[in-house]
């Protein structure tokens, strides 16, 4: 049972009388009916890759864990309607592979895609690197099958792109973190398979130049722009120092970098487009240098630098992490002010902000000072959180961009959420789960 009772970073762990592993949506609904009658809490769990404690039971030992890993069937792939219907326990990488086998593309992509499940992606409204082009998981679902607290099974699966018959119930459950119902299956949107890609690593003086590059890329590339990731110099230092096979793609050092990618269902054209775009950026003084991937191996190397950045932070000591978003135009000011205030409050601290600048989502991580005591630095977590989240509020942003609320940000949600919105959320929770058995203690 141990693997189901702890989350990946060991920040949250609990106890449970049992782990339940149903094989069908009907079995999930039957479990909920029994638990609802007995008043037993149910903690739904997919791939157990979440980072905010939403999939972990508390330490009371009174909540069961309901694992969805055995609901792993791909029920249908329909290339004609560009849809796929899959069960909640299907691993994201397997969804991607099944789409590709049918000549289609499922664009959700994130670091845990080899182990996270589509049900968990939907329950947390996962983001990833392609939100700029395709939206978050919410935008990739057409319909859901959901087991309700009382044991009823809601069949909302649909291939329709247009359906205005009443409320869109699917959007109520997406992002609800298993507190309103347990998603058992989903009908997902598919897209034309990209036949050409162009990837570049760009050196920039500061985040303001990155914002100018993003504006230029949108104007020149339009929908072909599928990724725009911001990386600070310290992030490149960490990855080249600690990750085997990663090297600095550019000859000289730059303050900031952007990893950007264009793709198209056409067999050619994007490389020329990206080359012209980068040339214009250089002429305008926006970009200082750039490297364009000439092979699949070089493209993989560029993405490895970005994707292993969280792992590369570990050898540098403790890291205080924040998953936030702010309006695009505010990113440069937010980064400048946050770093100045964090360093002033904790001298020697090393801000390492990176992430999905294309959609405004920044992972504002702060690594401990070199040689500092790990526990002493982590003891200042609340103070640094207050600084970062306070600035997020100042810039009209969100304290949870893509990782969810779970347990970690529950109290913070109550501080920053509109009171009327909280009131409505509690009313919906009470209506759908009057006994409070669904993921108790999470989100609200």
């Amino acid at each position: 049972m141990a693997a189901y009772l702890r989350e990946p970073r060991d920040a949250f762990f609990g106890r449970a009388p049992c782990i339940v592993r149903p094989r069908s949506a009907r079995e999930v609904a039957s479990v909920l009916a029994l638990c609802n009658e007995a008043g037993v809490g149910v903690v739904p769990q997919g791939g157990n890759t979440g980072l905010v404690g939403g999939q972990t039971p508390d330490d009371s030992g009174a909540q069961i864990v309901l694992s969805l890993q055995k609901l792993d069937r791909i029920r249908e792939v329909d290339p004609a309607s560009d849809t796929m219907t899959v069960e909640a326990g299907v691993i994201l990488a397997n969804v991607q592979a099944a789409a590709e086998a049918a000549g289609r593309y499922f664009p959700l992509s994130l670091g845990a895609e080899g182990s996270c499940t589509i049900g968990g992606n939907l329950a947390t409204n996962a983001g990833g690197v392609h939100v700029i082009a395709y939206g978050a998981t919410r935008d990739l679902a057409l319909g859901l099958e959901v087991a309700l607290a009382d044991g009823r099974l809601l069949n909302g699966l649909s291939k329709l792109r247009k359906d205005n018959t009443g409320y869109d119930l699917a959007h109520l459950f997406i992002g609800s973190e298993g507190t309103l119902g347990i998603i058992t299956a989903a009908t997902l949107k598919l897209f034309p398979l990209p036949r050409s890609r162009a990837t570049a690593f760009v050196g920039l003086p500061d985040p303001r130049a990155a914002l100018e590059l993003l504006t230029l890329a949108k104007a020149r590339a339009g929908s072909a722009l599928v990724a725009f990731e911001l990386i600070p110099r310290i992030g490149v230092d960490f990855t080249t120092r600690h990750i085997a096979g990663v090297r600095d793609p550019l000859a000289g050092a730059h303050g900031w970098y952007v990893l950007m990618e264009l793709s198209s269902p056409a067999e050619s054209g994007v490389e020329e487009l990206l080359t012209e775009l980068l040339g214009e950026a250089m002429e305008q003084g926006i970009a200082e240098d750039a490297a364009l991937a000439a092979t699949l191996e070089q493209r993989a190397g560029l993405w490895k630098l970005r994707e292993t950045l969280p792992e590369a932070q570990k050898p540098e000591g403790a890291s205080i992490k924040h998953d936030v978003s702010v309006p695009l135009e505010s990113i440069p000011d937010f980064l400048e002010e946050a770093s100045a205030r964090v360093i002033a409050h904790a001298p020697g601290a090393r801000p390492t902000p990176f992430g999905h600048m294309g959609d405004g989502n920044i992972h504002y991580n702060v690594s401990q000072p070199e040689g500092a005591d790990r526990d002493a630095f982590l003891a200042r977590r609340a103070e640094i959180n207050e600084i970062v989240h306070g600035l997020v509020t100042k810039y009209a942003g969100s304290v949870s961009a893509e990782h969810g609320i779970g347990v970690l940000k529950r109290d913070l949600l109550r501080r920053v959420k509109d009171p009327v919105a909280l009131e409505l959320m509690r009313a919906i929770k009470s209506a759908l789960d009057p006994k409070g058995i669904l993921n108790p203690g999470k989100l609200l």
Side-chain angles (χ1 to χ4, degrees), residues 20-264:
V20 182
R21 303 182 68 196
R23 293 181 179 272
S24 69
R26 285 292 173 193
E27 288 187 358
V28 174
S30 296
V31 170
L32 291 183
L34 289 168
C35 289
N36 192 58
E37 183 179 353
V40 174
V42 180
V43 179
Q45 188 178 106
N48 194 18
T49 61
L51 300 175
V52 294
Q55 76 280 22
T56 310
D58 64 19
D59 61 1
S60 69
Q63 303 170 355
I64 72 164
V65 173
L66 191 151
S67 169
L68 294 154
Q69 290 178 341
K70 289 190 175 181
L71 273 72
D72 59 357
R73 291 189 305 126
I74 295 175
R75 295 183 184 175
E76 180 190 42
V77 181
D78 184 354
S81 64
D82 286 321
T83 64
M84 172 191 291
T85 300
V86 303
E87 294 183 339
V90 179
I91 292 172
L92 175 55
N94 293 342
V95 175
Q96 297 167 343
E100 186 171 355
R104 295 295 184 269
Y105 180 58
F106 184 66
L108 181 63
S109 179
L110 44 139
E113 62 192 31
S115 52
C116 65
T117 60
I118 198 66
N121 299 147
L122 288 160
T124 58
N125 189 31
V129 298
H130 294 146
V131 172
I132 185 174
Y134 298 98
T137 310
R138 179 184 303 280
D139 304 297
L140 301 175
L142 289 169
L144 301 179
E145 177 185 78
V146 183
L148 302 178
D150 60 7
R152 288 178 295 167
L153 195 60
L154 170 66
N155 183 3
L157 296 173
S158 173
K159 300 180 185 180
L160 299 177
R161 305 283 173 143
K162 289 184 174 181
D163 182 0
N164 286 336
T165 51
Y167 302 135
D168 189 341
L169 297 178
H171 283 272
L172 187 63
F173 295 99
I174 297 173
S176 69
E177 301 184 42
T179 62
L180 301 180
I182 296 181
I183 297 169
T184 55
T187 301
L188 306 172
K189 297 179 185 178
L190 302 180
F191 297 84
L193 190 67
R195 287 182 168 80
S196 60
R197 286 188 174 93
T199 310
F201 195 76
V202 188
L204 302 157
D206 51 46
R208 202 164 301 281
L211 182 58
E212 292 176 11
L213 179 61
L214 176 60
T215 302
L216 179 65
K218 287 179 175 179
R220 297 293 181 269
S223 60
L225 179 65
V226 295
F228 197 92
E229 298 289 301
L230 183 68
I231 305 169
R233 178 65 214 181
I234 192 173
V236 174
D237 291 339
F238 285 175
T239 52
T240 54
R241 186 182 305 159
H242 300 297
I243 305 298
V246 172
R247 64 177 185 84
D248 190 336
L250 302 178
H254 303 270
W256 292 80
Y257 301 86
V258 159
L259 174 59
M260 60 187 300
E261 186 164 279
L262 309 185
S263 75
S264 169

Side-chain angles (χ1 to χ4, degrees), residues 303-336:
W303 276 108
K304 185 176 181 180
L305 190 156
R306 161 61 184 90
E307 291 170 345
T308 58
L309 210 165
E311 180 185 347
Q313 285 184 273
K314 295 176 183 178
E316 295 289 330
S319 178
I320 296 174
K321 302 177 184 295
H322 310 86
D323 166 43
V324 301
S325 62
V326 295
L328 288 175
E329 71 274 10
S330 299
I331 288 177
D333 291 335
F334 165 74
L335 291 174
E336 181 179 354

